[in-house]
Amino acid sequence: IDGFENTEIFVGIDEDYNGQVEVKASDSVKAGINPSGGSSASPVAVDTVVRSGIVFFSAGAGKTAADIVKSWE
C-alpha cells in the first residue's frame, strides 16, 4: 500500500540482470483509485527503459495521469 492508500502498485524487476527494466505503455494503473476510481493510465507514453534493478509506480493521488508516482523520476 502506498502513501495514498492505493493497493495497485506495479513493480518491475531486472530479471535478466542486464541493469535495466522496461516499462511498457501497456502497463497501467487505475487512475483515481483515491478518490474517484475507474479509468486506467499509463506511467509512460511509449516504452521506456529505466537503468535500475527494480522500479515501481502507483496511481499516487489518483486524480489525473499526472499524479502517477514513479520511482525513476
Side-chain angles (χ1 to χ4, degrees), residues 17-57:
Y17 303 103
N18 66 352
Q20 59 191 26
V21 177
E22 183 178 7
V23 181
K24 299 179 181 174
S26 60
D27 295 328
S28 65
V29 295
K30 288 183 181 176
I33 293 171
N34 182 9
S36 61
S39 63
S40 60
S42 174
V44 294
V46 296
D47 295 354
T48 299
V49 174
V50 181
R51 297 206 45 84
S52 179
I54 187 168
V55 298
F56 73 88
F57 64 84

Side-chain angles (χ1 to χ4, degrees), residues 1-11 28-31 33 41 43 56-62 64-72:
I1 192 165
D2 70 13
F4 296 95
E5 299 184 9
N6 297 317
T7 57
E8 295 191 24
I9 300 171
F10 171 89
V11 177
S28 65
V29 295
K30 288 183 181 176
I33 293 171
F56 73 88
F57 64 84
S58 76
T64 68
D67 290 338
I68 296 174
V69 176
K70 301 173 230 177
S71 65
W72 62 93

